[in-house]
Amino acid sequence: MMDPVTLGMAKADVKKKYAPVVRLSSPQPQQATSQAPSGRAIVGIFGSTLLSWSSFGLSQSENSGTTWTSKALPADVPTSAATAGAGWVVLFKGNYYLQAKKTSDGLPGIFRAAPVTGATDFTWSTSLLNGSTGSNIISTALAADANYIYWAEYGDPATGPSVWRSPDGTTWTKVLGPDTFAARHVHGIFPDPYNPGHVWLSCGDAGSAGYHYRSTNYGATWTIIPGDLGTNQAWQAVQVSFDADWIYFGPDTTSNFSAFKADRATLTPRWTGKQSHRYLPVPAGLPSRRITDLTTTSGSATITSATAAFTSADVGSRIRTTGQNTIPIDACIASVTNATTAAVYSSKAATVTGSTTTAILGGGAWGAMAYYGAVDPATGIYYFVSINGVAGGNVDGLFAVLPDGTLTLLDILTTSPDGKVTIDSGKVYVRGFWRPTLAL
């Protein structure tokens, strides 16, 4: 007979409670991460075939990133990835579909080309779908399942965001928004591979009617997820991924957790790991310094000190006050005015007025935001990246959460990993980085 505690648990939690302790099959492999050369960002992953984009244009590798061949971009797309935005490519019914900002008007477009090998070049269509005024692209907002390809608007669409689907990539139908959809923008769209026809939508920011939507009919109609997951901004997310028992979320919040998940039965959100990545030490982190004359004003984000010697290098660094939390925990420097004046992020404004506060400034701090992450369904290991974003931190990293909640650092990432995390063919990819997945 199950004990009373177990009787109150979701089925997925019962499995976890009675499962054996999880251990990696070998010592934790750190620094096993590879990086694509010449500033390439991976924008399409199809087994050993990779597509990348850099300031030099589009390239393809057919041997898992060992060698690269330059490829053509659509005529109305700029060469530089930085100008074209967060490009991404999906494979749908035998063709590639690329999202990118157009040269002609700076707005998003969707382009199609057949896959090619060797020296053969892509032949891209003109734009099949165009974003509205004010819209932008994000790597998580283009997706496909067996029946439909989906795209949603990021940025700040002038009349609100819209969501589209197409059965053939040519004819697109608007299935949500803008007037029936209260949100600043869409963060991502995610077909559930365990439930054909089920598609999830993550949205933001403040003022949104809902933060997660779900369709059970391939995007034809949508409903806000009931409870906290749908209506509480504290559980706002960007990337969503799935295994048989859980739905995983990369949080878009400064609430300090690295990832959360919801069991399929109740859709109740909870933390994935036992701790936040923000509290792990940064190996060989930057030095810190002590300030004894920090001046704060309650309700103000501005801080001053005659001796701090603030510089631009302090932006992103954590500042921690001793004794009472004169500045809230996890405050980071947002800007520096001069050697004696700086500001923390507005959400971390001082709670106490004082002029002799002692504080520790600097030291290595992981990027606060963990927008992007994905679960490996074969093992239940969740991979995510920490990004500076707008909430502080000065070091980006790749982390893993084991099924028992243990959080571990995989690698420090030397450039911003601001893009979708993908698990494919025994590897985890994010932007220009990839590494082998872990074995249990």
Side-chain angles (χ1 to χ4, degrees), residues 285-290 318 320 360-364:
L286 299 172
S288 60
R289 62 189 189 273
R290 183 181 179 87
R318 184 178 296 172
R320 292 148 286 183
I360 304 298
L361 173 62

Side-chain angles (χ1 to χ4, degrees), residues 31-42 50 52 64-66 68 411-417 428-436:
Q31 299 179 345
T33 304
S34 299
Q35 183 174 8
S38 303
R40 290 184 173 97
I42 307 299
L50 307 177
S52 70
S64 300
T66 301
W68 297 87
D411 246 322
I412 295 175
L413 303 181
T414 54
T415 60
S416 175
V428 53
Y429 295 86
V430 57
R431 295 296 285 173
F433 302 95
W434 65 88
R435 61 157 292 132

Side-chain angles (χ1 to χ4, degrees), residues 4 6 42 59 80 143 147 157 214 233 275 287 294 301-302 316 352 354 382 401:
T6 302
I42 307 299
S59 299
S80 174
N147 293 338
R214 180 175 59 180
Q233 193 182 7
Q275 65 183 126
L294 188 71
T302 299
V352 175
Y382 181 82
V401 183

Side-chain angles (χ1 to χ4, degrees), residues 65-349:
T66 301
T67 59
W68 297 87
T69 303
S70 295
K71 296 295 180 185
L73 283 162
D76 194 20
V77 169
T79 299
S80 174
T83 306
W88 191 254
V89 180
V90 300
L91 182 65
F92 175 62
K93 294 188 176 179
N95 285 306
Y96 288 151
Y97 289 82
L98 164 71
Q99 67 167 9
K101 291 196 291 185
K102 295 172 289 178
T103 303
S104 56
D105 58 13
L107 295 176
I110 305 294
F111 304 84
R112 177 173 58 207
V116 297
T117 58
T120 304
D121 222 335
F122 290 125
T123 301
W124 293 98
S125 69
T126 57
S127 184
L128 303 167
L129 176 65
N130 299 305
S132 64
T133 301
S135 64
N136 206 334
I137 57 176
I138 185 171
S139 60
T140 44
L142 176 67
D145 55 30
N147 293 338
Y148 289 91
I149 183 171
Y150 308 90
W151 183 71
E153 292 182 309
Y154 184 61
D156 290 291
T159 58
S162 293
V163 180
W164 303 75
R165 72 171 187 175
S166 172
D168 56 13
T170 301
T171 303
W172 292 80
T173 302
K174 187 183 295 184
V175 292
L176 188 62
D179 52 341
T180 58
F181 185 33
R184 177 188 173 193
H185 48 219
V186 174
H187 289 153
I189 188 164
F190 310 93
D192 181 350
Y194 297 90
N195 288 290
H198 288 220
V199 187
W200 283 69
L201 203 66
S202 61
C203 304
D205 289 294
S208 297
Y211 298 97
H212 293 100
Y213 290 70
R214 180 175 59 180
S215 171
T216 58
N217 52 14
Y218 293 98
T221 58
W222 298 84
T223 56
I224 297 174
I225 299 297
D228 282 343
L229 193 58
T231 60
N232 187 342
Q233 193 182 7
W235 299 99
Q236 178 175 292
V238 177
Q239 187 171 353
V240 180
S241 59
F242 310 87
D243 67 16
D245 295 317
W246 301 94
I247 302 167
Y248 297 79
F249 303 84
D252 181 15
T253 173
T254 57
S255 298
N256 301 327
F257 47 67
S258 302
F260 62 94
K261 62 183 181 181
D263 66 276
R264 290 180 175 275
T266 68
L267 297 179
T268 302
R270 67 207 76 185
W271 286 40
T272 300
K274 295 177 179 177
Q275 65 183 126
S276 168
H277 70 281
R278 300 187 70 181
Y279 303 117
L280 292 183
V282 177
L286 299 172
S288 60
R289 62 189 189 273
R290 183 181 179 87
I291 301 170
T292 58
D293 62 344
L294 188 71
T295 297
T296 59
T297 301
S298 181
S300 173
T302 299
I303 57 176
T304 62
S305 164
T307 64
F310 295 118
T311 73
S312 59
D314 291 322
V315 173
S317 296
R318 184 178 296 172
I319 183 166
R320 292 148 286 183
T321 53
T322 59
Q324 62 179 321
N325 289 319
T326 304
I327 301 172
I329 294 173
D330 291 323
C332 292
I333 301 297
S335 62
V336 172
T337 303
N338 52 46
T340 61
T341 305
V344 297
Y345 290 95
S346 58
S347 62
K348 300 293 186 179

